């Protein structure tokens, strides 16, 4: 079945530094990938839609200069949290849709802690 | 206000009991999916329903899509501790362009 690999699974960084999270579709090509943020005990909130070869589409209230998305190939999208602050600490999850299945496949998530 | 209202938000039951989780919206969806998520992991797809009135079964789990494709339910029979987790419904309005999640139902099944 469709597999989406996300790493790192956990990262701790200092305030002011940048962190890159990778999301790869392992056995299928994904022209579109999605990035979500999830706060403790809450549901997933869509941050942006990553489009291969073009600019990402950001949801209202999400700073595009803060959360840089690059989708340079059909199997890889990256999310870079720039100048991270403690309030950016969260669980970030990516997903992609394999057209062979009805549904979306999610990565295992990245727990970001900014200290 | 969420596009998809999921209820209940929390549910704590004893092993062997039955339960139903509801997912309601005023919008029509081309498909609706149910996911289960465990702590520290990404959501895992359980089922996708596409046709109004559709019923799908996955072992002890029964999923139903409303006739008007605006709501769905998940029924678990004889719940087991292994069913514990966060259950999320998600609607696809534009056939693959974007997924909207409900608020989630946190289920705990006590042995």
């Amino acid at each position: 079945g469709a597999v989406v690999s996300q790493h790192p699974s956990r990262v701790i960084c200092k305030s002011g530094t940048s962190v890159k999270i990778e999301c790869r579709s392992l056995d299928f090509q994904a022209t579109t990938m999605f990035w979500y943020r999830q706060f403790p005990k809450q549901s997933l909130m869509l941050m942006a839609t990553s489009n291969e070869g073009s600019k990402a589409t950001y949801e209202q209230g999400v700073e595009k200069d803060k959360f840089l998305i690059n989708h340079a190939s059909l199997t890889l999208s990256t999310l870079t949290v720039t100048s991270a602050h403690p309030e950016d600490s969260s669980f970030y999850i990516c997903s992609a849709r394999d057209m062979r299945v009805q549904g979306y496949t999610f990565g295992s998530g990245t727990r970001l802690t900014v200290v | 206000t969420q596009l998809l209202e999921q209820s209940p938000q929390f549910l704590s039951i004893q092993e062997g009991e039955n339960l139903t989780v509801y997912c309601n919206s005023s919008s029509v969806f081309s498909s609706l999916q149910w996911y289960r998520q465990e702590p520290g992991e990404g959501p895992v797809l359980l089922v996708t329903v596409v046709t109004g009135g559709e019923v799908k079964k996955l072992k002890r789990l029964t999923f139903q899509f409303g006739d008007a494709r605006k709501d769905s339910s998940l029924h678990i029979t004889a719940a087991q501790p292994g069913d514990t987790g966060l259950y999320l419904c998600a609607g696809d309005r534009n056939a693959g362009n974007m997924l909207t999640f409900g608020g989630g139902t946190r289920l705990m099944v006590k042995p």
Side-chain angles (χ1 to χ4, degrees):
Chain A
V3 178
V4 172
S5 174
Q6 184 176 345
H7 73 90
S9 57
R10 289 178 177 271
V11 58
I12 300 173
C13 71
K14 293 183 178 180
S15 289
T17 61
S18 296
V19 174
K20 180 185 285 188
I21 303 169
E22 292 190 350
C23 181
R24 295 180 185 271
S25 57
L26 295 188
D27 54 351
F28 66 101
Q29 294 182 333
T31 56
T32 304
M33 291 187 178
F34 305 89
W35 288 96
Y36 295 84
R37 183 172 181 176
Q38 186 176 32
F39 291 102
K41 298 185 178 181
Q42 293 189 23
S43 186
L44 279 69
M45 180 184 72
L46 180 66
M47 298 175 65
T49 301
S50 172
N51 304 298
E52 188 269 334
S54 65
K55 292 182 180 180
T57 305
Y58 290 82
E59 295 301 299
Q60 191 172 9
V62 178
E63 299 176 59
K64 61 181 181 181
D65 294 330
K66 171 79 172 173
F67 299 99
L68 299 179
I69 290 174
N70 184 280
H71 195 152
S73 77
L74 288 171
T75 59
L76 174 64
S77 175
T78 61
L79 168 68
T80 300
V81 182
T82 63
S83 187
H85 290 115
E87 55 265 32
D88 297 326
S89 298
S90 191
F91 194 55
Y92 294 88
I93 310 174
C94 68
S95 78
R97 182 167 187 175
D98 181 356
M99 298 309 293
R100 297 172 296 179
V101 299
Q102 288 182 319
Y104 295 72
T105 302
F106 286 80
S108 56
T110 298
R111 171 75 58 195
L112 170 63
T113 303
V114 184
V115 297
Chain B
T1 302
Q2 286 196 299
L3 189 61
L4 274 170
E5 296 290 336
Q6 202 172 327
S7 63
Q9 289 183 305
F10 304 98
L11 193 55
S12 179
I13 60 173
Q14 292 295 133
E15 181 177 0
E17 293 184 9
N18 302 331
L19 67 115
T20 302
V21 177
Y22 299 93
C23 184
N24 297 300
S25 176
S26 58
S27 300
V28 176
F29 294 97
S30 58
S31 69
L32 197 141
Q33 291 124 47
W34 284 92
Y35 294 84
R36 179 166 166 264
Q37 184 183 23
E38 298 201 36
E41 298 288 333
V44 175
L45 179 67
L46 296 174
V47 78
T48 299
V49 285
V50 179
T51 306
E54 183 177 5
V55 176
K56 282 191 174 179
K57 291 192 175 184
L58 184 66
K59 297 184 180 179
R60 293 177 292 100
L61 278 61
T62 302
F63 304 86
Q64 186 165 8
F65 202 12
D67 291 339
R69 290 186 291 134
K70 293 181 179 181
D71 54 84
S72 181
S73 64
L74 157 61
H75 183 79
I76 301 179
T77 304
Q80 303 294 313
D83 296 327
T84 294
L86 177 65
Y87 289 82
L88 297 158
C89 66
D92 189 341
R93 295 181 69 185
N94 296 307
N97 285 349
M98 193 178 77
L99 204 59
T100 301
F101 279 87
T105 295
R106 194 164 296 277
L107 171 65
M108 177 176 288
V109 182
K110 301 175 182 177

